[in-house]
Amino acid sequence: MRQQKTPPARASLRSHAAAGVTSLTFRPLTSVIPANRAGVLVTRRIAATSMALLGPGLSGSRIVPVDRTTRRGPSVRGEWVRGPRAHRDDAVILYVHGSGYAICSARTHRGITTRLSHATGLPVFSCDYRLAPRHRFPSAADDVRAAYEWLIAEGHDPGRIVLAGDSAGGHLSVDLTLQLIQEGAPPPAALALFSPLFDPTFELAAGRERVRRDPMTSAARAQRLLDLYFVDEDRAAPRMTFSFEGAGSFPATLVQAGGREMMAADAEELARSLGESGGRCELEIWPGQMHVFQAFPRLVPEAGAALARAADFVVAELEAAERRGSFQLLKEA
């Protein structure tokens, strides 16, 4: 039986305190780090250290690295993640990490991937795509597509693959799904997105920030980071500013975002766009929470509940897909 875990009416005192401390420490720190190659290296170290301390992987998880690097073009790199209670092999989660196309990795996101695997019982392939500023658009998207196609080549049915991702990884996940639909290729069974980037111009985020200051960073700072990946690309191009016209077959999607973050506006616009196209999207804005709060279970009490909710969604959608497949087989028989 699927349990309904809806966001609480208000944030915990610890979450409020965490947002306050982050606003006084992390945001000022990131504001003085330059958005260039040297600054990116510093930011990567800060992100890796903070996520290891505040969102470490679950003890007892199994990690198996994958590296199928090619000299040119897309590569499949990342790691298989199995949480302590991951016992199923009938489906798989493809996880796409975020952080502005320039920071973080499969390793930094083990706090999310091990817990998602543990809660769903499923293996997670956490994709390591090429990062800016060395690699520019569309290298990250090409690597995510390569990972998806590799999973299929390894024997995984697209209808048993769930895409999950946070921040820029959410943008990459939506991009991949739209590309597959437009090509007539089978899309994944469902998507679970945490604080997804929807508007790469950051106009939506800037508008939200004028109403309430984001504890982590500013829209202008985030925009400069994305500039390292998109460079001079037109932000109104189809693979950046998404159109869901004709995408009524878009898979069921769960979107979670924090009420304190500027990118809650992106989450709301993504949900609205999917709904208007005929897709089904469940939107959850968690009061008082920061950007990708699910990654910080030691800091934010609500992180575990949000991931449990996402796990319930993933399992339920896979069960629904299995029922639809069984019904279709009976119909054809």
Side-chain angles (χ1 to χ4, degrees):
M1 177 68 69
R2 182 182 181 183
Q3 297 179 359
Q4 194 68 25
K5 295 181 176 69
T6 56
R10 58 181 61 87
S12 64
L13 291 177
R14 277 179 58 190
S15 291
H16 280 302
V21 171
T22 300
S23 182
L24 293 172
T25 57
F26 187 78
R27 178 168 170 140
L29 177 62
T30 59
S31 68
V32 299
I33 299 175
N36 55 25
R37 289 180 181 271
V40 165
L41 291 176
V42 172
T43 306
R44 286 176 184 171
R45 290 187 178 183
I46 294 172
T49 300
S50 60
M51 294 181 79
L53 290 173
L54 301 174
L58 278 179
S59 177
S61 298
R62 289 168 287 165
I63 310 294
V64 179
V66 173
D67 190 344
R68 295 169 179 261
T69 304
T70 58
R71 289 190 175 183
R72 294 182 180 179
S75 298
V76 178
R77 292 181 300 111
E79 56 188 34
W80 280 111
V81 177
R82 284 184 179 270
R85 294 183 182 174
H87 58 281
R88 298 174 56 178
D89 288 300
D90 60 305
V92 64
I93 298 171
L94 171 57
Y95 194 88
V96 188
H97 73 80
S99 285
Y101 301 95
I103 302 163
C104 290
S105 64
R107 184 183 182 88
T108 63
H109 277 63
R110 287 178 184 172
I112 289 182
T113 56
T114 57
R115 285 169 173 79
L116 202 53
S117 173
H118 179 71
T120 59
L122 296 169
V124 173
F125 181 71
S126 188
C127 175
D128 262 329
Y129 51 83
R130 289 169 289 174
L131 299 175
R134 181 177 180 183
H135 301 286
R136 298 175 175 178
F137 175 85
S139 58
D142 290 344
D143 287 353
V144 173
R145 176 70 180 260
Y148 182 78
E149 293 178 344
W150 174 71
L151 288 175
I152 294 173
E154 289 289 298
H156 296 280
D157 187 326
R160 306 297 295 167
I161 299 175
V162 173
L163 265 179
D166 65 275
S167 197
H171 192 273
L172 288 166
S173 298
V174 173
D175 173 57
L176 170 60
T177 305
L178 285 174
Q179 290 292 309
L180 293 168
I181 291 172
Q182 290 163 6
E183 295 169 12
L191 284 80
L193 308 177
F194 310 119
S195 301
L197 170 68
F198 180 73
D199 172 25
T201 70
F202 272 85
E203 291 180 4
L204 289 172
R208 180 60 61 92
E209 194 182 21
R210 285 192 288 270
V211 177
R212 188 169 192 178
R213 189 172 185 261
D214 189 296
M216 282 192 169
T217 190
S218 67
R221 166 71 184 178
Q223 179 65 76
R224 289 195 295 272
L225 189 62
L226 258 66
D227 287 343
L228 298 175
Y229 177 65
F230 289 119
V231 195
D232 297 324
E233 296 289 339
D234 179 9
R235 301 296 169 89
R239 292 190 69 181
M240 297 181 210
T241 303
F242 298 132
S243 170
F244 293 91
E245 184 177 354
S249 59
F250 200 93
T253 302
L254 171 69
V255 176
Q256 293 180 343
R260 288 286 296 269
E261 65 170 307
M262 60 185 174
M263 282 174 60
D266 286 58
E268 291 167 351
E269 185 62 18
L270 172 57
R272 185 195 65 79
S273 299
L274 281 172
E276 289 184 351
S277 72
R280 179 165 63 84
C281 180
E282 298 183 27
L283 173 65
E284 297 181 355
I285 304 297
W286 287 67
Q289 301 306 320
M290 298 180 289
H291 186 59
V292 197
F293 65 96
Q294 299 88 345
F296 305 106
R298 285 184 174 175
L299 184 68
V300 178
E302 290 87 344
L307 278 177
R309 163 71 188 121
D312 282 351
F313 173 84
V314 167
V315 171
E317 291 304 321
L318 286 171
E319 290 175 350
E322 189 172 11
R323 287 194 297 271
R324 288 193 296 271
S326 298
F327 176 78
Q328 186 62 33
L329 288 174
L330 287 173
K331 187 177 179 181
E332 291 173 356

